[in-house]
Amino acid sequence: MTGRDLHLIGAAATEETGLGIEVTGLRVRFGSVEAVAGVDLRVEQGQSLGLLGRNGAGKSTTMRVLAGVVPPAAGSVVVGGHDVRAHPLEAKRAVGYCPDVGGLVPRATPWEHLQLTARLRDLTGWEDRGRELLERFDLGDVAHRVTAGFSHGMARRLSVVLAALHEPAVLLLDEPFDGVDPVGVEATFEVIEDARARGAAVLVSTHLRDLAVDVCSEVAVLRGGARMATIPSGFMAGDDGARAYRALLAG
């Protein structure tokens, strides 16, 4: 079975429900700390949802649950039509995940990262897309340089490339704009729009409200591990949106 076959399986499962992501009553605990406290999220096919909130709001933990990295303590989590607890492998196959930190091998080059991703996902004929993504993110000239010397922004850009390579049914981008220059921001916008155009569900976690408003159709604001509101992105734009956002963060 090729990587393209896996993509089609994920897409078909999503078509049955019309939802790429459905989270109900998600709770995650680390010892005595409840990092996520009953979060509900829904992201339809072709939709992008932004997760906004301060550090410690539960954004990255929610992303890690969706990516199959952290198990939920309670609640229902379905990605690409697959329950992450009942069908973890199928759920992971449907997802492309850019973590908030780490994920890169310091002694490997961007091209070697692409090769590893392709091998793990059994992709064939991926080389042209890999080259195109590296060029789009201004990483073509360093494709064969080890990532140990990369700036934070370069590492962020490569992480988005790796998440998008196999055209997943669900694209999870955790802080993709952190330390990224305008070229990288524009390239990430293009990847998100491409994903939406082919019917993928996109979840973007960021602390940058303006960028979330620009690229997402809705935003969900988290505070203290709980979802305070889900709002059409237009209502979060400009000075009025900034005031509304501050009010939600303050409680």
Side-chain angles (χ1 to χ4, degrees):
M1 181 178 290
T2 68
R4 188 66 175 175
D5 293 329
L6 295 178
H7 164 66
L8 292 174
I9 288 172
T14 306
E15 286 171 4
E16 293 177 2
T17 62
L19 288 172
I21 299 171
E22 187 168 21
V23 177
T24 306
L26 174 62
R27 293 183 179 273
V28 181
R29 298 188 68 89
F30 298 112
S32 61
V33 177
E34 189 167 46
V36 180
V39 165
D40 299 331
L41 297 172
R42 291 167 61 91
V43 188
E44 298 180 0
Q45 293 174 258
Q47 181 188 13
S48 55
L49 176 69
L51 281 185
L52 288 174
R54 293 194 179 104
N55 292 338
K59 304 188 303 298
S60 291
T61 301
T62 298
M63 286 282 203
R64 290 169 189 153
V65 172
L66 292 169
V69 177
V70 171
S76 171
V77 181
V78 177
V79 294
H82 307 288
D83 186 290
V84 298
R85 282 191 285 199
H87 304 286
L89 183 57
E90 290 84 351
K92 288 179 181 179
R93 285 172 173 166
V95 166
Y97 175 47
C98 165
D100 59 331
V101 293
L104 300 182
V105 181
R107 293 185 179 274
T109 68
W111 190 253
E112 288 169 338
H113 278 87
L114 288 171
Q115 289 176 318
L116 177 60
T117 298
R119 187 173 302 169
L120 291 173
R121 293 188 174 275
D122 194 24
L123 302 181
T124 59
W126 57 270
E127 291 87 354
D128 286 346
R129 175 166 171 78
R131 292 188 188 95
E132 187 275 328
L133 284 170
L134 289 178
E135 291 295 336
R136 184 187 296 189
F137 280 83
D138 199 23
L139 294 170
D141 290 343
V142 296
H144 301 289
R145 199 178 95 191
V146 296
T147 61
F150 278 18
S151 67
H152 179 68
M154 292 169 69
R156 291 281 75 209
R157 284 183 272 146
L158 179 56
S159 292
V160 175
V161 168
L162 297 174
L165 178 65
H166 63 293
E167 297 185 316
V170 176
L171 183 61
L172 306 175
L173 303 179
D174 194 357
E175 297 291 356
F177 307 117
D178 187 30
V180 174
D181 61 21
V183 172
V185 170
E186 182 178 352
T188 302
F189 275 27
E190 290 175 359
V191 162
I192 293 170
E193 290 304 320
D194 289 349
R196 292 181 62 184
R198 60 179 171 76
V202 183
L203 188 64
V204 182
S205 168
T206 179
H207 60 279
L208 301 172
R209 178 184 57 87
D210 290 344
L211 293 180
V213 166
D214 286 344
V215 78
C216 295
S217 47
E218 291 186 326
V219 295
V221 179
L222 302 187
R223 189 186 77 208
R227 180 178 63 88
M228 307 310 297
T230 299
I231 306 167
S233 58
F235 288 99
M236 294 293 286
D239 292 340
D240 289 342
R243 284 190 288 271
Y245 183 43
R246 287 195 295 269
L248 288 168
L249 294 181

